[in-house]
Amino acid sequence: MTILEKKGFLIVFVVILSFLECSPVNAQNVSLYLSPSQGTFFVGSTFSVSIYLDTKGLEINAVEVDLKFPPDILQVTTPTAGESFISEWIVPPSYSNIGGTISFKGGIPGGIITSAGLVSTITFRAKSTGIAKVEFLDSSKVLLNDGKGTPVFATIFGGLYEILIPPPEGPRITSPSHPDSDIWYSNSSPTLSWEKEEKVTDFSFSLSQNLAENPDTLSEGEILFKSYNDIPDGIWYFHLRAKKDDIWGKTSHFLVKIDTTPPQKFEPKIDIS
């Protein structure tokens, strides 16, 4: 073998060796996953998503996590390490609400084996309606604690979050016949009225002696008042909810006290003893 042939063989060997040392290990996949992995939230609310690692019995010493999220639906408020098992952040956690990216890169001197190691917790704010997909990018990696920093294949599980318009608050209720809920009225025919917000299309209501009752979702139309006749004596509750953007909102309650029984007659007596 000539000197040139030997040099060529040596170069090829070094390249192959380097490739083998840097290639991911596929013997036992580790797992990177989000928790919760799904959920339903309302526009304007915040919710937290945690990143976990299961090393599947392997000892690792470095983790790099890159996430992508839809910035038109979600906004990061705080990417906090919390109780993270990462002891040294090679690069501080960072995010972009314009590009929709989040990055974590840290190490664990001495290595670690964990089945549910917390990498970090992210708090999102829901900006608009839609299905928000939060996914791991291909640049995410886990390195073995083998003195070489060998990458290990990671099975990844992202998250899907449904963002909805929040249900409307309960309508404001008043009563021209029984305006003060602290007073007992002899009028057994109460009339209730309420306000209508913009985009409200339907109302549902009921009258009962159960404070916790919620009206059904059968529409009573867009009427703004209701009168009842000959209601028995007692404490009654008028329950009202509105439908807005095809969502039934919270229930409002209005207390009505009725007492039509006149007081018993009595003759005053003077005790002169």
Side-chain angles (χ1 to χ4, degrees):
M1 183 180 292
T2 66
I3 295 177
L4 289 177
E5 288 175 335
K6 289 182 179 180
K7 286 185 178 180
F9 175 81
L10 182 61
I11 292 173
V12 172
F13 177 79
V14 170
V15 170
I16 294 175
L17 180 62
S18 299
F19 175 80
L20 291 175
E21 289 181 347
C22 296
S23 296
V25 173
N26 196 21
Q28 195 172 8
N29 289 5
V30 301
S31 295
L32 280 168
Y33 60 95
L34 300 181
S35 180
S37 60
Q38 58 185 355
T40 300
F41 306 96
F42 296 117
V43 172
S45 67
T46 59
F47 63 97
S48 295
V49 176
S50 296
I51 308 165
Y52 287 97
L53 171 67
D54 182 355
T55 65
K56 304 293 186 180
L58 297 174
E59 187 173 51
I60 61 96
N61 65 3
V63 179
E64 182 173 351
V65 173
D66 295 313
L67 294 173
K68 186 170 181 60
F69 64 92
D72 56 326
I73 300 177
L74 299 180
Q75 178 184 50
V76 175
T77 60
T78 50
T80 59
E83 299 297 323
S84 174
F85 70 84
I86 303 294
S87 56
E88 292 186 5
W89 291 103
I90 301 171
V91 177
S94 61
Y95 65 94
S96 169
N97 280 325
I98 297 176
T101 58
I102 313 169
S103 296
F104 302 92
K105 190 174 184 179
I108 311 94
I112 189 174
I113 298 174
T114 178
S115 60
L118 176 64
V119 177
S120 184
T121 297
I122 308 159
T123 299
F124 290 105
R125 184 178 72 85
K127 292 174 55 179
S128 62
T129 59
I131 302 296
K133 183 178 182 181
V134 180
E135 54 188 327
F136 290 89
L137 297 178
D138 292 340
S139 52
S140 299
K141 64 185 69 172
V142 179
L143 305 183
L144 291 177
N145 186 38
D146 59 356
K148 304 175 184 178
T150 304
V152 57
F153 279 110
T155 303
I156 55 177
F157 303 92
L160 284 176
Y161 310 98
E162 184 178 18
I163 310 301
L164 302 174
I165 293 290
E169 295 291 328
R172 180 175 176 270
I173 305 171
T174 58
S175 174
S177 61
H178 298 66
D180 192 336
S181 293
D182 293 326
I183 296 177
W184 289 88
Y185 292 92
S186 59
N187 181 358
S188 63
S189 300
T191 296
L192 294 306
S193 61
W194 52 90
E195 299 174 348
K196 179 177 180 292
E197 291 185 5
E198 185 179 356
K199 295 185 179 181
V200 167
T201 57
D202 303 272
F203 291 101
S204 179
F205 50 78
S206 62
L207 182 70
S208 73
Q209 293 187 295
N210 178 10
L211 171 61
E213 181 172 298
N214 286 313
D216 56 32
T217 55
L218 298 177
S219 175
E220 303 285 353
E222 296 185 61
I223 61 174
L224 300 179
F225 71 94
K226 174 64 178 178
S227 296
Y228 295 91
N229 295 315
D230 300 323
I231 300 300
D233 289 359
I235 296 176
W236 295 83
Y237 300 94
F238 180 72
H239 315 283
L240 175 71
R241 64 196 302 195
K243 185 179 182 182
K244 181 179 180 180
D245 293 321
D246 291 325
I247 298 174
W248 284 102
K250 299 178 182 178
T251 300
S252 296
H253 309 277
F254 190 88
L255 173 63
V256 174
K257 294 180 177 180
I258 298 176
D259 183 7
T260 60
T261 305
Q264 294 181 350
K265 294 182 180 181
F266 70 96
E267 292 182 4
K269 294 182 180 181
I270 300 175
D271 186 357
I272 58 175
S273 60

